[in-house]
């Protein structure tokens, strides 16, 4: 057992929560029961405690109820997929993932409505989400979303290969891949249909806007790595910023945590600088861009607030000296 001082994380962005958070939580419980994603009383108690819908409610504070339920179900589905991938044995994981992700991509690309009997629980539940997403989206958006999911699945394969080979990625490689393994790009794409923020591709593809999105992604994912480094270390999973820094630089756990926290804080400062330099367009586009950036900020603060106020998924007290982490 090693004792470390866990860094205090602070963001200069407001916290907010959707007015439909509690109702979306109840809908999310009913949804996972419908698709049998949770099958035992013990698992259901753990699921309710996780309160995944509250993460969506904090990240998308202005979404209407139906849209909030869609994104809450989607993020819950991602957590369930991640858990299932982690349970696959090391020897079969890569082959298993390739088959599974190919079938899931087919649901998105072919717009097939899949039953649980035909395609299994994960495909059927994704099919349900995709039907509802398609009803409120345009074809160009669907292509962007599918591309984000392709990138996410590819990153899952990358992780699986590393696990099978007992290989720890270099810090630079991990930093390059982490935005995809967190699937946050898919949630960012979803801003359009969930919060009804409509921006042309010329704005979304502007280098400064792209870097702002990456900064948001890095902040959220690296914060999660700080929160979960103990859990992942115990599980033997090296895909964590703290753990790859510790391995590559041959540091103690406290030093690696501090280094990861510095990277995280640098990215917060970069986000703030970039926000002040947003490209300028016509009045209506500028207003939409500000709404878009507001959701990115909600993701940053919402992820933190959910992690330490709402869910039982993480068991770390940030900023309290002598927080105990096992290495």
């Amino acid at each position: 057992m090693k004792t470390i001082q866990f860094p205090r994380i602070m963001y200069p962005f407001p916290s907010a929560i959707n007015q439909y958070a509690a109702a979306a939580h109840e809908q999310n419980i009913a949804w996972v029961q419908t698709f049998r994603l949770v099958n035992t009383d013990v698992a259901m108690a753990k699921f309710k405690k996780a309160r995944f819908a509250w993460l969506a409610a904090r990240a998308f504070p202005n979404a209407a109820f139906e849209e909030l339920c869609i994104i809450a179900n989607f993020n819950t589905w991602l957590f369930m997929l991640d858990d299932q991938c982690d349970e696959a044995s090391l020897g079969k994981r890569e082959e298993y993932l390739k088959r599974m992700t190919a079938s899931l991509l087919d649901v998105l690309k072919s717009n097939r409505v899949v039953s649980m009997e035909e395609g299994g629980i994960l495909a059927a539940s994704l099919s349900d989400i995709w039907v509802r997403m398609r009803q409120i989206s345009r074809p160009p958006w669907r292509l962007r979303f599918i591309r984000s999911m392709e990138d996410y699945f590819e990153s899952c394969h990358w992780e699986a290969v590393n696990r099978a080979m007992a290989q720890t990625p270099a810090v630079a490689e991990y930093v390059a891949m982490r935005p995809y393994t967190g699937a946050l790009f898919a949630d960012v794409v979803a801003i359009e249909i969930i919060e009804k923020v409509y921006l042309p591709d010329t704005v979304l593809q502007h280098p400064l806007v792209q870097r702002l999105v990456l900064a948001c992604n890095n902040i959220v994912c690296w914060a999660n790595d700080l929160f979960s480094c103990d859990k992942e270390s115990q599980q033997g999973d090296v895909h964590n910023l703290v753990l790859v820094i510790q391995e590559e630089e041959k540091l103690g756990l406290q030093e690696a945590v501090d280094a990861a926290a510095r990277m995280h804080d640098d990215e917060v400062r970069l986000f703030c600088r970039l926000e002040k330099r947003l490209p300028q367009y016509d009045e209506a586009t500028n207003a939409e861009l500000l709404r878009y950036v507001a959701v990115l900020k909600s993701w940053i603060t919402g992820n933190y607030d959910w992690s330490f106020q709402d869910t039982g998924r993480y068991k770390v007290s940030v900023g309290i000296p002598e927080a105990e982490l096992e290495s």
Side-chain angles (χ1 to χ4, degrees):
M1 178 78 70
K2 291 187 178 181
T3 301
I4 70 162
Q5 182 172 335
F6 202 83
R8 179 175 294 278
I9 293 175
M10 300 181 67
Y11 300 120
F13 314 129
S15 296
I17 191 163
N18 195 291
Q19 62 179 319
Y20 301 114
H25 174 68
E26 294 303 319
Q27 185 276 343
N28 205 36
I29 293 171
W31 184 78
V32 299
Q33 290 173 327
T34 297
F35 288 96
R36 300 200 295 273
L37 287 160
V38 179
N39 295 313
T40 68
D41 291 340
V42 172
M44 179 54 70
K46 183 179 178 181
F47 175 80
K48 289 179 179 179
K49 187 177 180 182
R51 302 176 86 185
F52 294 123
W54 288 77
L55 173 60
R58 291 187 180 279
F60 298 92
N62 299 307
F65 176 68
E66 293 298 332
E67 283 77 1
L68 180 60
C69 289
I70 291 171
I71 201 65
N73 297 162
F74 173 64
N75 279 283
T76 298
W77 182 87
L78 286 172
F79 280 113
M80 297 296 178
L81 174 63
D82 184 63
D83 288 345
Q84 179 156 333
C85 292
D86 288 345
E87 289 171 4
S89 65
L90 285 175
K92 299 179 180 177
R93 184 171 290 161
E94 185 182 359
E95 181 182 348
Y96 167 80
L97 279 177
K98 285 182 178 179
R99 291 197 310 270
M100 180 176 65
T101 56
S103 68
L104 296 174
L105 272 177
D106 183 60
V107 170
L108 301 177
K109 291 181 176 180
S110 67
N111 298 328
R112 288 192 304 115
V113 177
V114 180
S115 68
M116 287 189 284
E117 292 72 23
E118 176 190 4
I121 291 171
L122 283 172
S125 52
L126 178 61
S127 172
D128 174 76
I129 294 167
W130 190 232
V131 167
R132 290 182 286 152
M133 284 184 166
R134 282 168 35 222
Q135 290 172 345
I136 58 173
S137 65
R138 301 173 295 181
W141 179 88
R142 295 169 204 159
L143 291 175
R144 293 203 315 268
F145 183 81
I146 290 171
R147 283 197 296 269
S148 72
M149 292 301 290
E150 287 176 324
D151 290 340
Y152 167 62
F153 290 146
E154 283 297 319
S155 73
C156 292
H157 300 162
W158 171 77
E159 286 189 327
V161 170
N162 288 337
R163 291 188 184 107
M165 298 177 64
Q167 177 174 285
T168 301
V171 173
E173 182 185 17
Y174 179 80
V175 167
M177 293 299 295
R178 185 65 174 99
Y180 302 101
T181 63
L184 192 62
F185 281 137
D187 277 301
V188 171
V189 171
I191 291 173
E192 177 176 314
I193 67 166
I194 303 303
E195 292 255 353
K196 311 302 181 186
V197 177
Y198 300 104
L199 288 169
D201 285 347
T202 52
V203 178
L204 293 173
Q205 294 172 6
H206 189 284
L208 191 149
V209 174
Q210 292 274 297
R211 188 60 184 88
L212 196 70
V213 169
L214 178 60
C216 168
N217 200 327
N218 286 340
I219 292 164
V220 171
C221 289
W222 296 350
N224 284 347
D225 283 357
L226 285 162
F227 306 155
S228 63
C229 64
D230 177 48
K231 171 177 173 282
E232 289 170 347
S233 176
Q234 291 184 51
Q235 292 176 343
D237 189 350
V238 298
H239 296 100
N240 181 290
L241 182 62
V242 173
L243 302 181
V244 296
I245 290 174
Q246 184 181 26
E247 172 68 20
E248 182 170 304
E249 300 186 18
K250 308 304 179 187
L251 301 177
L253 183 60
Q254 179 68 64
E255 294 175 302
V257 166
D258 292 343
R262 286 193 297 271
M263 290 177 62
H264 167 276
D265 293 347
D266 286 345
E267 208 72 1
V268 174
R269 285 187 283 270
L270 174 61
F271 186 100
C272 294
R273 291 197 301 271
L274 293 175
E275 184 188 6
K276 294 177 181 177
R277 297 171 50 203
L278 288 174
Q280 295 299 301
Y281 303 96
D282 60 87
E283 185 176 351
T285 303
N286 288 341
E288 287 295 275
L289 181 55
L290 290 176
R291 291 181 61 219
Y292 183 82
V293 174
V295 180
L296 299 181
K297 292 192 287 188
S298 292
W299 253 110
I300 293 169
T301 56
N303 177 66
Y304 177 89
D305 291 342
W306 175 74
S307 298
F308 290 94
Q309 296 180 33
D310 302 327
T311 186
R313 192 171 179 87
Y314 305 114
K315 303 184 185 301
V316 178
S317 297
V318 175
I320 299 177
E322 297 186 355
E324 290 186 349
L325 295 178
E326 292 184 7
S327 64

